[in-house]
Amino acid sequence: MKRIIIVLLSALAVFCCTLLFVDEYITETNITTAQKHNARLLRDVSRKMNVELVLAARSAESFMSGIFYCKNDTLNDSPKPEFYIRDTEIRTFTRYIDEELRGLLNGNPKIMRALVLVDDSVSRVNRRYGFTENYTRCLAQDDSVATNIGDYDFMHSASYNKVKAERKSLWVLPSTVSQMNKKIIIYYVPILCENGSFFGTFAINLDISSVRHELEDHLPYGKEDSEIFIRDQRGRIVASYPEIYEKYDSVSTLVDEIVKDKYVSKIDTSGSDIYTYYKGERWLLQTSPISAANWTVFSINKESAIYKTANHIRWIVFSVSILGMLLMLLCCYVIFRQVGKDLRKKALAENEIQMAAKVQSDILCAPSFTNQDVQVDAFLRPAHDAGGDLYSYLERDGKLVFCLGDVSGKGMPAALFMTQVHSLFLDAVRHSLSPDQIMSEINDVLAENNPSMTFCTLIVGVVDGNELTFCNGGHNRPVLLRKDAKPEFLVMRPNLAVGLMEGFPYSNETLQLNSGDTLLLYTDGVTEAKNKQHKEFGNDRLLEVLTGKEQDFINVTLSAVEEFVGNNEQSDDITLLSLRSR
């Protein structure tokens, strides 16, 4: 009962923490999503506006390049192309300008008027060519032609004088807009004389009446909750929706009202600038540039409108969370019962494995043995509770018979196969003392019924005085350590591991052991031991470790392997057996 109460309290605590986290996450995610959504809308507006301005500017510059001499080779050169009128062209300038202006207007219906403004200084000097003071040539979409513009004094405007002073193209808003009930902007392109003096400007009036509808289409929320407008580089309003901002001649007045004490903080700078300010309540402001004219798009949205979606989602999440908590408690109860059963089964299985490991270790021979011919030392350490390595020896008719093997695979299947190999070895020794016959008998019994194709690499040997007769069944080559000689791997015939093919013809080999010579047998858990860099201990390192050593080869090898592996987990069984001739 106590456990169930603990589970219920834990589930309730997790549920409460989850609700707090989810609520905070939804709020932050909703704000972030709204900011990204608004940024995309602003970029869409600025991109469309930018394309429109660039196309109009290119139309103007293309028109200019057909009439005037262009200093740059192409319109794509940087900096912007500079246009000149040669002295010889001034004479014929007034004759064909109307026709050229009409061609420009026909090519771009968004251009409401096209004007050529000749500077006063040029007009006074060149009156004989048809220029008058304040000479202006204008052609409109309605095909009207004017030599002077009454409703806007281009020649004395600040924009005209800025173009004249800086000799750079410029987008501007006129001070007064009354032509054709259209919202227009002006693009000035300077024209220079051949000697570099200022000749005048070419200007186009671009209709941007549709921009307001574009802004309306990109309003994130209703017009009660959102406001969007464009301002130029001088702070004047280009267009807005709703039209509340168009009452200002300059947005600087608006900025004075908003910025002084109402901007609170700059929230983010990724993608676009985002600010918060108060206008009775908290609003969010975002901006996006229109690079072609150095303008800026502003979007201002009530924070409460953004949170409307979040509040709706909160209720959904809360309801789902309550249902989820009930399901979780039910699942916890079911899982608790099942886990209890599984833990009991696991404990029983682990106990059985430990008992099996003890039985396996008990069937192995003692780790040391000595008779008149040889001294035997052995060591076995499985990688898990039970392993697939084995060693065994026994004395019969005054001869020492031994074996060392490594079963394929790991864990309990390998351990069961290993006990079978060990039992077959003891049984075969009763029938014969010839290693090849012992090996053949073990192999035939294992291969007769082995659907899993499990096998065992095995060495069987018989020591009779100073003579060692042995047979190798696919096992690692032992290391021969003779007195006053470097350790070397014993050359052996390659035979098949036992258990794979019935009737394989095994054969014996012999070796003379002098007094003090040692034969060290081992499994691949020694040479294939890996460190944290996944590098193997290897055969060369084994010979290097044994060089110069005269005894205690098993401990020397184990210490070297452990130092090499470090804290890395043992991945395979390690078995060593040494035979030292007396």
Side-chain angles (χ1 to χ4, degrees):
M1 186 65 183
K2 289 182 179 179
R3 292 182 178 178
I4 295 176
I5 293 174
I6 291 173
V7 170
L8 291 174
L9 291 176
S10 301
L12 183 60
V14 170
F15 170 71
C16 293
C17 293
T18 303
L19 276 185
L20 292 174
F21 172 77
V22 168
D23 182 71
E24 183 67 21
Y25 176 76
I26 288 175
T27 301
E28 293 299 325
T29 302
N30 205 61
I31 291 292
T32 303
T33 303
Q35 291 172 357
K36 292 181 178 178
H37 175 67
N38 294 345
R40 284 195 297 269
L41 292 177
L42 289 177
R43 283 196 298 271
D44 192 32
V45 172
S46 60
R47 182 170 56 250
K48 289 181 178 179
M49 194 70 185
N50 208 58
V51 168
E52 195 166 317
L53 295 178
V54 168
L55 289 176
R58 287 299 177 90
S59 296
E61 290 167 2
S62 179
F63 164 78
M64 295 282 288
S65 65
I67 298 178
F68 304 104
Y69 165 69
C70 182
K71 182 178 181 181
N72 307 97
D73 293 333
T74 69
L75 294 182
N76 293 322
D77 286 342
S78 182
K80 282 282 190 176
E82 296 178 357
F83 299 98
Y84 293 80
I85 184 168
R86 294 186 175 94
D87 292 341
T88 55
E89 294 171 339
I90 293 177
R91 299 175 182 274
T92 58
F93 179 77
T94 57
R95 300 177 187 175
Y96 57 83
I97 191 64
D98 288 350
E99 182 180 349
E100 297 294 337
L101 292 176
R102 187 172 289 106
L104 172 63
L105 293 174
N106 292 335
N108 191 337
K110 285 273 184 152
I111 300 177
M112 302 306 299
R113 295 190 307 187
L115 308 88
V116 175
L117 312 171
V118 180
D119 196 66
D120 289 348
S121 59
V122 177
S123 300
R124 285 193 295 268
V125 174
N126 295 282
R127 287 179 180 177
R128 63 185 182 280
Y129 298 137
F131 296 132
T132 59
E133 192 170 354
N134 294 326
Y135 177 87
T136 304
R137 197 66 180 169
C138 173
L139 191 66
Q141 280 286 359
D142 60 2
D143 228 18
S144 61
V145 179
T147 57
N148 199 5
I149 307 300
D151 56 358
Y152 184 66
D153 189 359
F154 288 93
M155 290 293 189
H156 296 92
S157 67
S159 302
Y160 177 87
N161 287 301
K162 184 176 181 181
V163 173
K164 181 177 180 180
E166 297 181 3
R167 311 290 178 91
K168 293 180 180 178
S169 301
L170 180 68
W171 280 105
V172 297
L173 287 173
S175 298
T176 304
V177 180
S178 61
Q179 297 88 347
M180 306 174 220
N181 289 323
K182 297 286 187 179
K183 183 81 172 182
I184 66 169
I185 56 175
I186 304 173
Y187 183 62
Y188 286 101
V189 182
I191 308 169
L192 305 179
C193 294
E194 195 170 12
N195 60 6
S197 61
F198 189 74
F199 177 81
T201 64
F202 172 70
I204 57 172
N205 294 169
L206 186 67
D207 179 17
I208 59 167
S209 302
S210 61
V211 173
R212 183 179 298 160
H213 300 294
E214 191 73 38
L215 297 180
E216 181 181 1
D217 293 339
H218 288 81
L219 203 64
Y221 308 100
K223 63 180 181 179
E224 299 297 325
D225 299 322
S226 296
E227 300 167 1
I228 186 169
F229 62 91
I230 302 173
R231 72 172 187 175
D232 70 1
Q233 66 271 32
R234 291 174 56 191
R236 295 181 299 177
I237 296 296
V238 178
S240 69
Y241 188 85
E243 295 81 2
I244 56 174
Y245 292 116
E246 298 192 11
K247 66 183 179 181
Y248 296 99
D249 292 333
S250 171
V251 81
S252 60
T253 308
L254 174 67
V255 172
D256 287 342
E257 291 182 7
I258 295 177
V259 172
K260 279 183 180 178
D261 299 313
K262 297 179 182 180
Y263 275 101
V264 177
S265 63
K266 189 170 185 177
I267 300 176
D268 185 25
T269 57
S270 58
S272 63
D273 292 338
I274 303 173
Y275 298 84
T276 62
Y277 82 95
Y278 287 90
K279 194 176 69 173
E281 64 174 293
R282 183 178 162 99
W283 290 58
L284 293 181
L285 180 144
Q286 288 180 261
T287 65
S288 182
I290 301 175
S291 57
N294 196 23
W295 295 350
T296 306
V297 186
F298 291 81
S299 174
I300 311 175
N301 307 287
K302 281 184 182 178
E303 194 176 61
S304 59
I306 298 173
Y307 277 109
K308 285 179 182 177
T309 306
N311 291 331
H312 178 67
I313 296 175
R314 281 175 183 168
W315 278 109
I316 295 175
V317 170
F318 182 78
S319 302
V320 172
S321 299
I322 292 292
L323 179 61
M325 188 187 72
L326 296 175
L327 292 174
M328 181 178 65
L329 293 176
L330 178 61
C331 291
C332 285
Y333 174 74
V334 174
I335 291 171
F336 177 77
R337 292 192 61 183
Q338 185 62 42
V339 167
K341 293 180 181 178
D342 292 343
L343 287 176
R344 286 191 293 272
K345 289 180 181 178
K346 184 178 180 182
L348 182 61
E350 288 178 351
N351 185 52
E352 291 176 350
I353 290 174
Q354 290 174 1
M355 292 178 63
K358 186 177 185 306
V359 171
Q360 184 186 30
S361 64
D362 289 344
I363 69 174
L364 298 175
C365 299
S368 62
F369 169 82
T370 304
N371 67 6
Q372 61 182 1
D373 298 325
V374 68
Q375 176 184 335
V376 180
D377 292 294
F379 173 85
L380 188 150
R381 183 169 65 200
H384 306 286
D385 291 327
D389 282 6
L390 75 146
Y391 72 87
S392 186
Y393 58 84
L394 58 95
E395 194 173 22
R396 182 166 176 253
D397 299 338
K399 301 178 183 180
L400 178 73
V401 187
F402 68 91
C403 74
L404 183 139
D406 183 2
V407 176
S408 62
K410 295 179 179 62
M412 286 305 297
L416 292 172
F417 199 84
M418 166 264 184
T419 57
Q420 187 180 8
V421 174
H422 184 267
S423 177
L424 290 172
F425 168 74
L426 296 179
D427 187 59
V429 170
R430 295 190 186 95
H431 304 151
S432 174
L433 291 180
S434 177
D436 59 344
Q437 293 181 16
I438 295 172
M439 190 81 77
S440 295
E441 186 172 335
I442 295 172
N443 175 65
D444 290 345
V445 173
L446 292 175
E448 185 178 1
N449 184 21
N450 187 16
S452 65
M453 294 302 290
T454 304
F455 61 88
C456 176
T457 62
L458 187 67
I459 293 181
V460 176
V462 177
V463 180
D464 184 7
N466 290 332
E467 185 177 79
L468 169 64
T469 305
F470 60 90
C471 181
N472 179 24
H475 197 75
N476 302 73
R477 294 184 298 161
V479 179
L480 179 61
L481 299 113
R482 295 189 185 274
K483 270 190 170 184
D484 303 324
K486 292 183 178 180
E488 60 181 356
F489 289 107
L490 188 62
V491 178
M492 311 175 76
R493 295 195 190 101
N495 289 311
L496 195 66
V498 295
L500 292 176
M501 184 176 73
E502 188 176 357
F504 184 84
Y506 292 96
S507 58
N508 288 331
E509 299 180 68
T510 59
L511 175 68
Q512 293 296 320
L513 294 174
N514 302 322
S515 178
D517 289 350
T518 300
L519 189 68
L520 181 65
L521 292 81
Y522 57 92
T523 59
D524 57 12
V526 174
T527 53
E528 294 180 5
K530 295 181 181 180
N531 58 16
K532 288 187 176 181
Q533 289 73 39
H534 303 287
K535 189 175 181 180
E536 292 186 351
F537 187 79
N539 293 331
D540 294 340
R541 186 174 278 104
L542 177 60
L543 293 180
E544 181 182 344
V545 166
L546 296 172
T547 301
K549 305 297 187 300
E550 297 182 358
Q551 57 184 353
D552 204 12
F553 299 110
I554 290 179
N555 288 330
V556 168
T557 303
L558 285 175
S559 298
V561 170
E562 289 171 356
E563 182 180 355
F564 175 78
V565 171
N567 296 327
N568 207 27
E569 185 180 356
Q570 180 181 336
S571 59
D572 200 359
D573 306 331
I574 293 177
T575 305
L576 292 145
L577 186 144
S578 70
L579 301 169
R580 187 176 181 84
S581 176
R582 303 187 68 192

